[in-house]
Amino acid sequence: MYFKEKYDYFLTLEKLGDFACQEAELLVEILKGFDPTTLMQKVDEMHAIENAADQLMHELFTHVATEFLTPIEREDIASIAYRLDDIVDYIDDVVHQLYMYDVKKIYEPTFAMADVIVKATAALSEALKEFRNFKKSKTLSEKIIVVNDLEDEADELFFRTVRELYTNYADSPVFIMAWNNIFIHMERCIDACESATDIMAAVALKNS
């Protein structure tokens, strides 16, 4: 008799986390080797990752909507997936904004924020890989704390950078507008990393 293979929700969440890591690494690559003449090509490359993540999201929600039993509550699966999708969307938006604002040179603090994004998505990915064992895991909480600490670091960097924009570039309103918006999206993606791990922590607590 043929038995349909059981859908692995945890693996799908891990794959969504991997897409976020891929985007974060591509973002750093774009920033470090920034070339306005090839930026549209990089926009397309980033968007391809975002599209692949969207397809995986569609597959996940098809199973959530149709399967009788899920390993954790449907709402929790959906909430984590949405936060992972937010990360992918925000990083994609950063590259789009570099193109829309016709950026010619990268504002120096951007490199530090991008580095935090790489660390946060990597830490989140590690937490997601441990999440399937949340009932017995001895390291999940430690991995979640790493993401929380990186979010605090990003907050401090964001506040410091935005203040620097308004104090040092008051005579360049277009510059301020562009980089303020870019930093908002970068900071939001790290917030989404923390939000995803907060939901994971809550799931572990209520199922303990």
Side-chain angles (χ1 to χ4, degrees):
M1 181 181 293
Y2 173 75
F3 291 95
K4 183 179 178 181
E5 185 177 351
K6 189 174 182 180
Y7 187 73
D8 192 335
Y9 289 93
F10 293 110
L11 179 60
T12 301
L13 294 175
E14 290 171 23
K15 288 179 179 179
L16 288 169
D18 289 340
F19 280 128
C21 289
Q22 289 175 35
E23 281 200 342
E25 291 166 2
L26 178 57
L27 176 63
V28 169
E29 177 187 320
I30 292 169
L31 295 175
K32 288 186 175 179
F34 189 71
D35 182 355
T37 65
T38 62
L39 186 55
M40 194 62 224
Q41 177 183 336
K42 295 299 184 180
V43 167
D44 292 340
E45 189 175 341
M46 185 71 79
H47 199 56
I49 301 174
E50 192 263 345
N51 282 338
D54 282 346
Q55 292 175 14
L56 195 58
M57 283 282 288
H58 177 72
E59 173 190 299
L60 174 69
F61 279 96
T62 297
H63 283 276
V64 167
T66 58
E67 292 190 352
F68 181 68
L69 292 175
T70 55
I72 57 177
E73 292 183 16
R74 299 171 195 277
E75 293 80 4
D76 292 327
I77 295 172
S79 294
I80 296 170
Y82 279 132
R83 299 295 78 72
L84 298 174
D85 188 55
D86 285 342
I87 300 165
V88 171
D89 286 346
Y90 289 141
I91 299 176
D92 186 47
D93 285 345
V94 169
V95 181
H96 275 86
Q97 288 180 331
L98 292 173
Y99 179 78
M100 288 189 299
Y101 293 131
D102 195 27
V103 169
K104 302 299 185 185
K105 183 179 179 182
I106 301 302
Y107 180 44
E108 187 65 28
T110 311
F111 297 110
M113 185 64 97
D115 183 57
V116 178
I117 291 174
V118 168
K119 291 178 181 177
T121 53
L124 172 60
S125 180
E126 287 298 312
L128 286 166
K129 288 177 172 61
E130 189 65 23
F131 185 50
R132 68 170 61 245
N133 302 313
F134 68 86
K135 290 184 178 180
K136 299 179 180 179
S137 177
K138 296 181 180 180
T139 62
L140 178 60
S141 61
E142 296 172 5
K143 296 177 187 298
I144 288 173
I145 290 171
V146 172
V147 178
N148 294 340
D149 289 344
L150 287 165
E151 196 276 335
D152 289 341
E153 182 180 340
D155 278 348
E156 182 179 343
L157 180 57
F158 176 77
F159 294 137
R160 186 169 67 246
T161 300
V162 171
R163 175 169 173 78
E164 180 182 280
L165 280 172
Y166 282 90
T167 55
N168 296 346
Y169 299 92
D171 58 345
S172 302
V174 174
F175 184 88
I176 291 175
M177 178 195 70
W179 285 106
N180 185 74
N181 287 339
I182 289 169
F183 265 78
I184 285 173
H185 278 78
M186 296 180 84
E187 200 264 345
R188 281 177 179 170
C189 94
I190 302 170
D191 282 348
C193 288
E194 182 182 46
S195 180
T197 55
D198 284 347
I199 298 167
M200 292 158 63
V203 170
L205 180 62
K206 70 182 179 181
N207 288 280
S208 60

